[in-house]
Amino acid sequence: MEKAIVVVESPAKARTINKYLGRGFKVVASMGHVRDLPKSKLGVDIEAGFVPEYEAIPTRKKVIKTLRDAARGAGHVYIATDPDREGEAIGWHLAKELGAGKRPVSRLMFNEITKMAVRAALDHPIEIDQRMVDAQQARRVLDRLVGYKLSPLLWDKVRRGLSAGRVQSVALKLVCDREEEIDRFESEEYWHITVRLAGRVPPDFDARLVKQGKRALKVGSGAAAKAVVADLEAADFVVDAVVTRERKRHAPPPFITSKLQQAARFPVKRTMQIAQQLYEGIELPREGSVGLITYMRTDSTRVSEQSLGEVRQHIEAAFGAEYLPPRANRHRRGKDAQDAHEAIRPTSAERTPESLRPHLKPEQYYLYRLIWNRFVASQMLPATFDDTTVDIAAGDYVLRAKGSVPKFSGWLAVYGGADAEAAPPAAGGDEEAATAVLPPLAAGERLTRRGIKPEQKFTQPPPRFSEATLVKELEENGIGRPSTYASIIGVLQMREYAEKAEGRFKPTRLGRLVTRLLTENFDDIIQVAYTREMEEQLDRIEEGKADYEGTVGGFYRNFSVDLEKAARSMPDIKANGLPSGEKCDKCGAAMVMKVGKFGMFLACTGYPECRNTREVDKAEESVTTGDETCDNCGRPMVVKRGRFGQFLACTGYPACKTTRKLIATPQGVAAVREDRPLDEPCPKCGQPLVVKHGRYGEFTACSDSRKCRYIKRDSTGVACPSDGGDIVVRKSRRGEFYGCENYPKCEFTLWNRPVPEPCPTCGAPFLVEKVTKRHGRQLLCHKDDCEYARSAELAVPAAS
């Protein structure tokens, strides 16, 4: 019997599927795309109806040969690429390369890599969906037309090496528009006035001033706040009304791609990499390689009937029948959602995060737990609270206090009860619940004033986008698709159009310049609404409601007209520069701004007689180095940019040629200081220890770092439960965390500081210190299955 071959994208996926199939099958990996448009030319025949000219990717030629050899003796070829447009296109290219006319080629479609799903797909093979292929091809060709037609224009007018993209340029415009909002923002002063009050019985509580008479009160200055405080000091405080109502908090739906990217603590690209690992298969002791989650690129909240039945059984067994709704919860799909795939969920609710923890890496466990918790919670009853609002009259003023008492934990039980700190935001845009504890109060009750606290505040500008909030903005505006968000964000940084400052995106001068030029000359294609309409048109191609040639042709006709106009009207910055308003300090002529290989700079218009140039410090936008002075001559240091990036240079150049390296830190960019020697030997090699300056701040290490890699860590005085090593303080871009000193041999880590005190409930060797808005500073047992907690005021100090 001839073997059949099954082609997937990755070796990990191949290993998992191979275990589910018999001897008559051979599973091979294509390593992703095998064909693409050529890099050296446009690769699209515009005159012939936008026919793409595909060629084998150079790095995949050996893979193609291997696949052809495997297919030569096979009686049937099965394409089992990912179940989305990109996967369908990869499958179409594979079918072309493996000779669809010589042997039967079928498509296997499954949403999860489990034995049942793979065997079911094999029992019901389908044809490659040409409409999905056309939709992917349309996206690829549109992106190529914009990139290969628009980028050369930027090369000609601004600087060689720049790029523009159909979607990336719109994403950059969002970042630039937000920066303009921040630039225009004018902060306003306002005051919060809070009064500490006491009733007949404890506890004391806080009430905030909200009205004067029947009008909402806004206190806008210190003088006004002082006058209000004086009035309140002379007033009597009487309970005017007490209103208690039950509030339900419904569980959010299971994850779709964008919501998972927003919820995970990793960058978007890393989140998708870890999710891919969980989808393709993890080696488990009794089951072998098993896919733990369903396909992770989806915008549908739909869940299969089989998985609904399984999770409902799990909820009843693990939490009790009182947590189970009479019927399965059905979550409303988004307006533009493609319903081809299920939501992201565990392939089996019975594989709890804790049961898999020994077999997962920490980041895999974290993401799987996030997905599992969200899915199980989505099928549970709402959490209920008694919300109490108390209005208090104080003369002509009205103060308000709010409190909330949990009645039924509902779906929050998955996250540890009614403590919403660990749970995701409420579904449906519920307002944040007040968490103050109020004493019993009744209308007409007189209250005792304990104190008045006026607080000065200032309105804040809209925040810059983080990766999570930029994904949310792209999603809400219909720009791109779940599978493209990571690449969009990556391109903005790679092209140096935007950079991260304290974890948030800030456009560079170059990014703002490119956006301005594109907005002035291609206002339609860079607009959010137009890009959203194009995404909808691609969806219509997939649904069979639009055709490939008509869609691409309609776009190109408008685009080519704008392209011709821009070639004539776009300013020639490369030749003439942009006015800067500055004068040359050597000849007095006007300076213009130009774009060079290492960024933007000022150049004298008197060239070639005057060749004076001056750097436009990138530091003005994103780099904070403080008032740095030269260690040799005492002159100020300035930021410059060379072929290896930014550095500090003495302003006394060429007389003083002192430079210092700059490194990226979580707070921006910092200058590297010289190592500071200490009178302390290295415990490993005996050489002196020195204080070094790294990307996460100062640290102490061996001075002979080429031979000895010893780094001194602050001890917590707690032994690692995995191997007995000391748990020490470590640093990352997200701040301090705690890990075993024997890393990388031991990967035990904690985000909360361990305290050397055994748990009085379960006897665990140490507790952890945690700070939340609800409970303040607490000591908790580090074991997830132990509920011991107490105020951290009684904490035993950690060893230093």
Side-chain angles (χ1 to χ4, degrees):
M1 177 182 174
E2 290 182 310
K3 275 195 173 184
I5 70 164
V6 179
V7 189
V8 299
E9 291 105 314
S10 74
K13 190 174 178 181
R15 285 193 296 272
T16 304
I17 293 176
N18 192 56
K19 294 185 178 183
Y20 301 149
L21 303 177
R23 293 182 179 179
F25 294 88
K26 182 179 181 181
V27 187
V28 291
S30 72
M31 311 301 292
H33 280 277
V34 293
R35 298 199 309 174
D36 198 5
L37 299 174
K39 286 189 175 182
S40 58
K41 59 180 181 178
L42 180 65
V44 179
D45 191 338
I46 296 173
E47 301 300 325
F50 304 94
V51 176
E53 303 168 9
Y54 293 111
E55 64 179 28
I57 299 172
T59 56
R60 295 288 185 272
K61 287 184 178 179
K62 287 185 179 180
V63 174
I64 293 173
K65 184 180 183 303
T66 302
L67 295 175
R68 283 176 176 168
D69 291 343
R72 190 169 291 118
H76 203 121
V77 176
Y78 292 99
I79 305 295
T81 47
D82 287 345
D84 58 8
R85 283 180 194 163
E86 209 69 25
E88 205 72 15
I90 293 173
W92 181 77
H93 286 294
L94 287 169
K96 295 289 185 183
E97 287 291 336
L98 300 182
K102 300 176 183 177
R103 58 189 64 83
V105 177
S106 300
R107 177 79 162 103
L108 300 184
M109 187 76 79
F110 42 81
N111 193 50
E112 58 187 58
I113 306 179
T114 59
K115 187 173 183 177
M116 184 183 297
V118 173
R119 296 300 309 189
L122 198 60
D123 291 339
H124 302 90
I126 58 176
E127 298 296 319
I128 289 175
D129 189 337
Q130 190 60 44
R131 296 182 305 183
M132 288 181 72
V133 175
D134 287 345
Q136 189 276 342
Q137 190 167 268
R139 175 189 292 279
R140 185 73 185 92
V141 169
L142 287 172
D143 290 344
R144 174 56 65 100
L145 290 172
V146 172
Y148 272 54
K149 292 287 186 178
L150 197 49
S151 295
L153 179 65
L154 293 177
W155 294 6
D156 184 51
K157 298 287 188 176
V158 185
R159 191 202 78 189
R160 186 173 181 83
L162 298 181
S163 76
R166 186 181 61 85
V167 178
Q168 88 178 42
S169 297
V170 183
L172 176 60
K173 187 174 187 300
L174 290 174
V175 174
C176 292
D177 287 349
R178 177 59 58 89
E179 197 67 20
E180 288 183 8
E181 287 182 59
I182 294 170
D183 291 342
R184 292 194 301 267
F185 183 82
E186 295 183 6
S187 184
E188 294 182 6
E189 180 184 7
Y190 68 99
W191 288 72
H192 278 166
I193 298 178
T194 306
V195 181
R196 188 73 171 171
L197 297 167
R200 291 191 301 267
V201 297
D204 294 355
F205 63 97
D206 290 330
R208 180 171 292 174
L209 183 63
V210 292
K211 290 182 181 180
Q212 185 175 23
K214 294 185 178 180
R215 290 185 175 184
L217 178 62
K218 183 178 179 181
V219 181
S221 67
K226 189 174 181 180
V228 171
V229 169
D231 291 342
L232 292 175
E233 286 176 339
D236 293 326
F237 294 84
V238 180
V239 176
D240 184 54
V242 179
V243 178
T244 299
R245 65 178 180 88
E246 183 182 85
R247 174 174 58 91
K248 289 186 177 181
R249 185 177 173 191
H250 294 271
F255 279 123
I256 60 175
T257 305
S258 56
K259 294 294 186 284
L260 179 63
Q261 292 170 344
Q262 293 166 44
R265 68 184 181 211
F266 308 114
V268 169
K269 183 178 180 181
R270 183 64 181 142
T271 298
M272 297 309 291
Q273 288 173 339
I274 299 167
Q276 186 90 30
Q277 295 165 8
L278 296 174
Y279 167 69
E280 291 185 342
I282 299 295
E283 199 71 29
L284 301 181
R286 296 181 182 177
E287 301 178 81
S289 186
V290 178
L292 297 182
I293 64 170
T294 53
Y295 191 55
M296 61 286 161
R297 293 185 179 91
T298 177
D299 53 8
S300 170
T301 56
R302 180 177 60 82
V303 175
S304 71
E305 294 301 321
Q306 178 186 339
S307 60
L308 286 176
E310 184 188 56
V311 73
R312 285 173 63 81
Q313 289 177 6
H314 177 84
I315 291 167
E316 186 171 9
F319 299 96
E322 65 272 23
Y323 285 85
L324 195 65
R327 292 181 300 277
N329 293 332
R330 309 284 176 176
H331 297 278
R332 188 172 56 186
R333 57 175 284 186
K335 175 187 169 186
D336 300 319
Q338 303 297 297
D339 206 38
H341 314 304
E342 291 186 58
I344 305 171
R345 61 166 176 83
T347 53
S348 172
E350 296 304 314
R351 293 193 191 100
T352 64
E354 289 310 308
S355 69
L356 297 179
R357 190 169 193 169
H359 316 298
L360 300 176
K361 295 178 180 178
E363 63 268 22
Q364 292 172 337
Y365 166 75
Y366 164 79
L367 201 67
Y368 181 75
R369 186 179 64 176
L370 205 64
I371 293 166
W372 190 92
N373 284 350
R374 178 94 162 210
F375 174 60
V376 174
S378 72
Q379 290 302 319
M380 296 173 71
L381 285 168
T384 56
F385 303 83
D386 273 342
D387 285 353
T388 301
T389 302
V390 181
D391 281 356
I392 300 152
D396 193 30
Y397 297 101
V398 176
L399 297 95
R400 183 165 292 161
K402 292 185 177 182
S404 183
V405 178
K407 289 178 65 178
F408 174 61
S409 60
W411 63 275
L412 287 172
V414 175
Y415 296 89
D419 181 5
E421 290 293 334
D430 288 357
E431 292 183 3
E432 183 182 354
T435 55
V437 178
L438 298 177
L441 297 170
E445 180 179 345
R446 298 180 70 85
L447 304 173
T448 302
R449 172 171 53 85
R450 301 291 194 202
I452 302 177
K453 183 182 179 182
E455 289 181 282
Q456 185 184 34
K457 303 276 187 178
F458 292 92
T459 55
Q460 298 297 313
R464 295 188 177 107
F465 291 113
S466 64
E467 284 203 13
T469 56
L470 182 55
V471 165
K472 183 180 180 182
E473 191 77 9
L474 293 171
E475 178 197 18
E476 290 179 348
N477 285 286
I479 299 170
R481 279 292 178 259
S483 58
T484 64
Y485 295 146
S487 62
I488 291 170
I489 290 171
V491 167
L492 295 185
Q493 293 176 275
M494 183 179 68
R495 298 294 183 185
E496 297 187 348
Y497 290 158
E499 57 194 4
K500 278 188 177 179
E502 299 182 4
R504 294 184 176 269
F505 288 106
K506 180 173 184 175
T508 60
R509 286 182 181 272
L510 179 60
R512 297 181 84 164
L513 172 63
V514 168
T515 297
R516 196 191 88 194
L517 293 174
L518 294 179
T519 303
E520 290 173 352
N521 295 277
F522 298 90
D523 187 50
D524 51 356
I525 69 168
I526 202 172
Q527 290 302 325
V528 169
Y530 186 83
T531 306
R532 179 171 58 244
E533 185 181 331
M534 283 306 306
E535 293 292 347
E536 292 170 355
Q537 192 71 8
L538 293 175
D539 293 341
R540 286 195 283 270
I541 293 176
E542 182 174 333
E543 295 163 1
K545 299 176 181 176
D547 68 286
Y548 165 83
E549 186 177 343
T551 300
V552 178
F555 170 85
Y556 188 72
R557 280 191 292 273
N558 295 331
F559 176 61
S560 57
V561 171
D562 289 343
L563 201 63
E564 290 178 9
K565 289 181 181 177
R568 297 190 300 269
S569 61
M570 186 181 286
D572 193 345
I573 298 170
K574 193 173 185 179
N576 305 320
L578 288 171
S580 69
E582 295 194 35
K583 299 291 185 182
C584 176
D585 54 356
K586 291 188 176 180
C587 71
M591 299 284 279
V592 292
M593 195 175 297
K594 292 193 172 187
V595 182
K597 185 177 180 181
F598 303 119
M600 301 187 74
F601 66 98
L602 294 173
C604 181
T605 53
Y607 180 87
E609 287 77 16
C610 179
R611 297 174 177 267
N612 186 27
T613 61
R614 196 163 70 243
E615 185 135 3
V616 178
D617 288 339
K618 200 174 178 183
E620 292 176 11
E621 295 188 352
S622 60
V623 180
T624 304
T625 58
D627 297 325
E628 300 287 351
T629 56
C630 177
D631 295 332
N632 294 324
C633 69
R635 293 187 180 96
M637 303 281 281
V638 294
V639 177
K640 290 190 174 290
R641 190 175 183 87
R643 59 181 300 190
F644 301 114
Q646 293 178 322
F647 64 95
L648 279 183
C650 180
T651 52
Y653 180 86
C656 179
K657 298 182 178 181
T658 302
T659 61
R660 278 167 60 191
K661 186 179 177 183
L662 288 174
I663 58 171
T665 71
Q667 289 73 40
V669 175
V672 175
R673 297 187 177 279
E674 292 185 5
D675 295 348
R676 188 172 76 250
L678 300 175
D679 293 329
E680 183 180 346
C682 173
K684 286 194 173 182
C685 70
Q687 294 292 323
L689 293 179
V690 293
V691 176
K692 292 178 173 286
H693 193 86
R695 63 182 305 188
Y696 301 125
E698 289 186 344
F699 65 98
T700 301
C702 181
S703 56
D704 192 7
S705 58
R706 292 185 179 180
K707 296 180 180 179
C708 179
R709 297 195 174 263
Y710 172 77
I711 296 176
K712 186 178 181 180
R713 307 283 188 186
D714 291 335
S715 171
T716 62
V718 176
C720 173
S722 296
D723 67 356
D726 190 15
I727 298 179
V728 296
V729 181
R730 305 181 72 90
K731 294 181 180 180
S732 75
R733 61 188 179 87
R734 285 185 289 273
E736 285 189 349
F737 69 102
Y738 306 90
C740 181
E741 65 179 346
N742 296 326
Y743 176 86
K745 291 182 179 179
C746 177
E747 296 185 347
F748 178 81
T749 57
L750 293 166
W751 280 106
N752 298 312
R753 172 179 277 278
V755 175
E757 179 184 346
C759 175
T761 300
C762 71
F766 63 90
L767 304 175
V768 293
E769 191 177 45
K770 183 178 181 181
V771 180
T772 66
K773 293 178 182 178
R774 179 184 179 91
H775 300 296
R777 196 175 298 274
Q778 278 190 308
L779 287 184
L780 312 171
C781 181
H782 83 95
K783 290 189 175 181
D784 293 337
D785 55 357
C786 179
E787 298 181 354
Y788 175 76
R790 79 160 194 268
S791 170
E793 294 176 1
L794 305 177
V796 176
S800 58

